[in-house]
Amino acid sequence: MDNEVIIYLVSGFVGGLSTQFISKNNLRDSLDTKSGWRKELFNIASKDKITLDDVYRLKAAIRLSKHTNKRMKVYSFKFMTNVIYNLCDEYIDEYENDCKKSPIIDNYNHREIIRICARYLLKYHWDYLSSFTIFRGVLKDSRLRKFDKYAEESCKQIQENYGKINCT
């Protein structure tokens, strides 16, 4: 009789955890579908003519403001969002007046850097959401470290090809 109670409790606990996980994933997918966040980033990453509107859209996709923690880990997601935020601010300052004449950013290197940043966000977001972890708080640091390679690859690609940012 005691074994049956334990089995019922364990199966109820496992059922509750799996239901919570499925409902959270469904909510994330639903919000992503309704907002079109991924679609907008995909459009930016794949289009030939990048405009100042695309730069604003990329900046809006990351966060409201930069992270203020000075001791953040190099190549972490927070670090990379600050890099993207700074690049967007730089391009907005540089092209704000020019884009009144033509909305297209004419510098090929700047367009390619915007595309790299959009691809980084798409890759990070896709892999982060597709990784299965029920106890996110417990495994958070170790899980997130494996995604740092995307930031490192993106920063190095920008540095090697365009010499634009300092990722140290």
Side-chain angles (χ1 to χ4, degrees):
M1 188 66 125
D2 290 335
N3 288 340
E4 290 177 5
V5 172
I6 292 172
I7 290 172
Y8 288 137
L9 288 174
V10 169
S11 60
F13 180 72
V14 170
L17 283 178
S18 63
T19 301
Q20 181 182 10
F21 175 76
I22 290 169
S23 62
K24 280 186 177 185
N25 277 348
N26 287 340
L27 177 63
R28 271 193 227 108
D29 288 343
S30 174
L31 290 173
D32 188 39
T33 302
K34 287 179 183 178
S35 72
W37 183 83
R38 185 186 310 273
K39 182 180 177 184
E40 289 292 329
L41 284 176
F42 188 81
N43 287 338
I44 292 169
S46 63
K47 69 195 286 190
D48 179 40
K49 298 186 183 336
I50 301 290
T51 65
L52 191 59
D53 287 343
D54 296 323
V55 176
Y56 277 113
R57 202 169 286 116
L58 179 67
K59 185 177 175 181
I62 49 176
R63 58 181 286 116
L64 181 62
S65 61
K66 292 192 311 186
H67 295 278
T68 57
N69 183 358
K70 302 289 184 202
R71 296 184 312 172
M72 71 183 75
K73 184 178 175 221
V74 175
Y75 302 128
S76 67
F77 182 73
K78 288 180 179 182
F79 172 84
M80 192 62 183
T81 57
N82 276 2
V83 168
I84 295 170
Y85 202 92
N86 289 337
L87 287 168
C88 288
D89 279 349
E90 181 182 325
Y91 295 158
I92 288 167
D93 289 344
E94 184 174 339
Y95 290 103
E96 189 72 55
N97 292 328
D98 292 343
C99 285
K100 292 178 182 171
K101 301 171 197 159
S102 170
I104 298 170
I105 293 177
D106 58 352
N107 186 315
Y108 173 80
N109 291 348
H110 293 175
R111 291 192 315 255
E112 192 57 32
I113 289 169
I114 293 298
R115 286 187 202 99
I116 290 168
C117 292
R119 288 193 306 262
Y120 163 76
L121 290 173
L122 285 167
K123 177 69 173 164
Y124 183 91
H125 185 256
W126 179 261
D127 284 357
Y128 181 80
L129 290 181
S130 62
S131 63
F132 177 79
T133 302
I134 294 175
F135 302 106
R136 287 185 189 262
V138 174
L139 301 177
K140 186 176 180 182
D141 288 339
S142 62
R143 248 184 80 234
L144 292 178
R145 271 189 230 115
K146 74 179 184 179
F147 299 121
D148 292 352
K149 67 182 176 186
Y150 304 141
E152 183 176 4
E153 290 169 5
S154 299
C155 282
K156 290 194 186 230
Q157 187 177 8
I158 292 170
Q159 283 176 326
E160 290 170 4
N161 296 323
Y162 309 104
K164 186 66 180 166
I165 58 176
N166 182 12
C167 288
T168 56

